[in-house]
Amino acid sequence: MKSLLGTTFAFLAVLLLAGCSSPQGDFVPKTETELAQMESLNESAHTAFINGNYEQASAILAKLNSERTVSRPLYQLEQLSALLMDGKNDQAHELMKKIHADLETLFDQKSEEKAQSIWHGEINKVFKGDSYERATFYAFMALSFISKGEYEDALRCVKNGLLADADSSAAQSVDDYALLHYIGYLAATKMNDKNEADAYLTAMKKALAGRGFRYTDEKPAAGDCFSALNRNTPNVLLVVWAGSPPTVVCTGSYKENRNIIRGNNAFDAMTVAVNSGTSFFIPNRLGDVEYQAVTRGGRLMDNVLADKAAAKAAMEVSGNILLVMGYTCCTVGLRNIGSPPVGATFLCIGLGCYVVGGSVHIMGALMNPAADGRFWRNLPAQLYVIPLTLTPGTHRIMLKGYRYSDTAGIAMFNVNVPDNNSLNVIHLPMMTQGAQYSSGLNTKHKNELNEIIGKANANRLAKEIK
């Protein structure tokens, strides 16, 4: 009996010591509780972000980025969104270089082993993002290089983004990120490489056609706005962020099933008007982040987590069975206490089952097959992109988002176009339904915006009354 007890506890101690040791590596070690607390702080930064408090969001995320933890690449991406929305393009560009280095080279074997061990959740590994997150990051980086006139670097980013997009178990979804192909077209056009530009434009058309969107170069049908993308001499590229991002939800008995849920885009169409001019539609679904997120297929890690969950369930069941056997044997032993050979034998067996069953139950409870629930929160559901040719100076941009032909959101911005030969990339927020943003407007323009909003609300109310 003593031998059985000693062996059992020695076995348990070895497992616990082996599984719970914390890897140091090149990272600041964090427990899973500390990583969860960091995620909670990240949620507060996201709240500031969606409320338009970009400086506050960036300040919170800068604190999270101050340590080299396994989650730092994620918080760098979150901070990138805040900087782009705040118009701090130079800071954003420098941050992108750091993110690129982390995504491509940052790896820690100990963290990977810890994430795959039966004792720890997937959150312990270095965050690399899903394929749609990496592809979208490279789209932003390519646009940043284009705005600086560094077109070869922009094309390298496009190719990196397409490689990230190809990291999918759904073969039919590979190479269908139309925005990346369009950015490649812009960069190749700026380099006067017509053959490569035409190849990217053809790939963009194919990606859109595969999703049921028609692209026409000549005599566009009513409502067809893709012909605007063929402009060879734009000096402004508007990138409008709309809707809430795809969300990661972990389900299952042990949170082992990682699911990506579509984002929520309040608009099915969007128009832009410059300086009170004629409104025209912005191409739809070019940068469809939510579609890219939900069509990539599963991951190899999903199989590892499923095996870990199955092992945990088996340990729990086995432990329960042994505890029941222990109770039964001890009961029989006590009833036959007057018959030493029988009673003693059943008591020993029962106590042994209790010890082993309890140990197995404890080990099962300590197993952690939880999937990684981290994701890039500060993304939109869709990126609306439109090239414009504007004279240097300040221009007033008015955006209208529509839902079933009704005005669902209005935004107005003053944007400054410098006198240069670059393609100036301007990121604008129109994140949710009912959005009423204004930036850099004077009192007259703010009053104009309020008047437009009032008319839109009145028209919507009139339709509801009918």
Side-chain angles (χ1 to χ4, degrees):
M1 185 65 185
K2 290 182 180 178
S3 176
L4 176 61
L5 286 171
T7 302
T8 299
F9 283 116
F11 175 67
L12 179 59
V14 170
L15 284 175
L16 291 177
L17 289 172
C20 297
S21 59
S22 299
Q24 300 296 319
D26 296 324
F27 298 95
V28 177
K30 296 289 182 181
T31 65
E32 291 186 13
T33 300
E34 289 173 323
L35 291 172
Q37 290 171 346
M38 292 170 67
E39 274 294 273
S40 179
L41 189 57
N42 183 32
E43 289 179 8
S44 67
H46 175 61
T47 299
F49 176 81
I50 60 177
N51 289 330
N53 300 322
Y54 304 125
E55 286 191 7
Q56 179 185 352
S58 186
I60 295 172
L61 291 162
K63 292 179 181 178
L64 289 171
N65 289 328
S66 63
E67 294 183 318
R68 195 165 184 262
T69 67
V70 293
S71 291
R72 190 171 74 170
L74 169 62
Y75 303 138
Q76 288 175 328
L77 290 170
E78 302 281 24
Q79 188 176 13
L80 172 62
S81 296
L83 291 173
L84 290 175
M85 286 292 94
D86 207 19
K88 297 179 178 178
N89 296 329
D90 289 338
Q91 291 183 39
H93 188 76
E94 291 305 311
L95 181 57
M96 285 186 220
K97 292 179 181 178
K98 296 177 182 177
I99 297 172
H100 167 67
D102 281 353
L103 289 179
E104 293 299 322
T105 63
L106 193 60
F107 181 81
D108 182 71
Q109 185 63 39
K110 292 182 179 179
S111 297
E112 290 291 324
E113 290 172 355
K114 187 175 181 182
Q116 295 189 41
S117 76
I118 61 175
W119 308 109
H120 300 282
E122 189 187 4
I123 194 174
N124 291 281
K125 72 179 183 181
V126 179
F127 179 86
K128 293 290 186 179
D130 285 285
S131 58
Y132 80 93
E133 292 169 315
R134 298 193 302 275
T136 302
F137 162 71
Y138 281 116
F140 289 153
M141 195 173 188
L143 288 172
S144 185
F145 275 120
I146 284 178
S147 69
K148 295 181 177 298
E150 300 173 19
Y151 306 121
E152 289 186 4
D153 286 331
L155 281 178
R156 291 190 188 97
C157 289
V158 168
K159 291 170 183 176
N160 279 342
L162 292 172
L163 283 173
D165 184 53
D167 183 14
S168 169
S169 62
Q172 71 277 10
S173 301
V174 172
D175 202 35
D176 67 349
Y177 207 155
L179 177 59
L180 283 168
H181 294 299
Y182 178 60
I183 296 171
Y185 162 76
L186 289 175
T189 299
K190 285 290 187 179
M191 294 172 66
N192 296 316
D193 189 338
K194 188 177 185 307
N195 290 334
E196 188 161 14
D198 288 344
Y200 276 115
L201 194 61
T202 299
M204 184 195 77
K205 297 177 188 179
K206 181 180 177 182
L208 291 168
R211 301 189 47 215
F213 292 94
R214 185 181 60 171
Y215 181 104
T216 53
D217 296 321
E218 299 177 359
K219 298 180 181 179
D224 188 348
C225 47
F226 290 113
S227 59
L229 299 178
N230 277 19
R231 292 176 181 166
N232 292 324
T233 58
N235 63 335
V236 172
L237 192 70
L238 292 184
V239 182
V240 183
W241 298 36
S244 56
T247 303
V248 171
V249 177
C250 297
T251 60
S253 301
Y254 313 112
K255 303 297 182 183
E256 74 277 12
N257 297 322
R258 188 175 186 273
N259 306 286
I260 300 179
I261 309 301
R262 277 186 178 275
N264 180 25
N265 185 11
F267 315 116
D268 50 37
M270 190 174 291
T271 62
V272 60
V274 181
N275 299 326
S276 300
T278 303
S279 295
F280 58 94
F281 282 96
I282 301 178
N284 205 10
R285 305 301 181 184
L286 191 66
D288 198 341
V289 178
E290 63 171 352
Y291 175 82
Q292 297 302 131
V294 299
T295 56
R296 299 304 96 185
R299 312 172 303 156
L300 291 176
M301 189 65 183
D302 293 336
N303 298 327
V304 175
L305 296 174
D307 291 341
K308 288 167 69 172
K312 182 179 177 70
M315 294 288 273
E316 290 178 349
V317 171
S318 299
N320 288 336
I321 291 173
L322 286 168
L323 288 173
V324 171
M325 288 177 62
Y327 172 78
T328 303
C329 290
C330 285
T331 300
V332 173
L334 290 172
R335 286 177 181 173
N336 292 275
I337 197 69
S339 303
V342 177
T345 300
F346 274 97
L347 279 174
C348 287
I349 294 174
L351 289 173
C353 287
Y354 266 129
V355 171
V356 176
S359 300
V360 170
H361 210 285
I362 291 171
M363 287 188 287
L366 291 173
M367 289 181 177
N368 186 355
D372 186 1
R374 296 172 296 180
F375 66 99
W376 190 353
R377 286 180 172 84
N378 296 345
L379 275 181
Q382 187 172 162
L383 294 160
Y384 291 87
V385 179
I386 188 69
L388 300 171
T389 303
L390 303 176
T391 58
T394 301
H395 296 270
R396 185 155 43 91
I397 304 294
M398 187 174 71
L399 302 168
K400 281 188 178 182
Y402 295 89
R403 186 72 171 177
Y404 306 125
S405 300
D406 286 333
T407 303
I410 299 173
M412 191 180 291
F413 307 88
N414 275 351
V415 299
N416 183 56
V417 179
D419 187 5
N420 57 30
N421 295 322
S422 298
L423 178 56
N424 299 282
V425 179
I426 301 174
H427 293 265
L428 297 176
M430 194 170 185
M431 299 295 292
T432 56
Q433 184 169 0
Q436 298 172 5
Y437 291 99
S438 62
S439 176
L441 302 180
N442 57 32
T443 302
K444 176 184 175 183
H445 291 160
K446 287 182 179 178
N447 291 336
E448 180 184 349
L449 175 61
N450 290 331
E451 183 179 351
I452 292 169
I453 292 170
K455 289 180 179 178
N457 290 336
N459 291 337
R460 191 184 305 113
L461 180 61
K463 285 185 178 181
E464 291 175 356
I465 292 174
K466 288 182 180 180

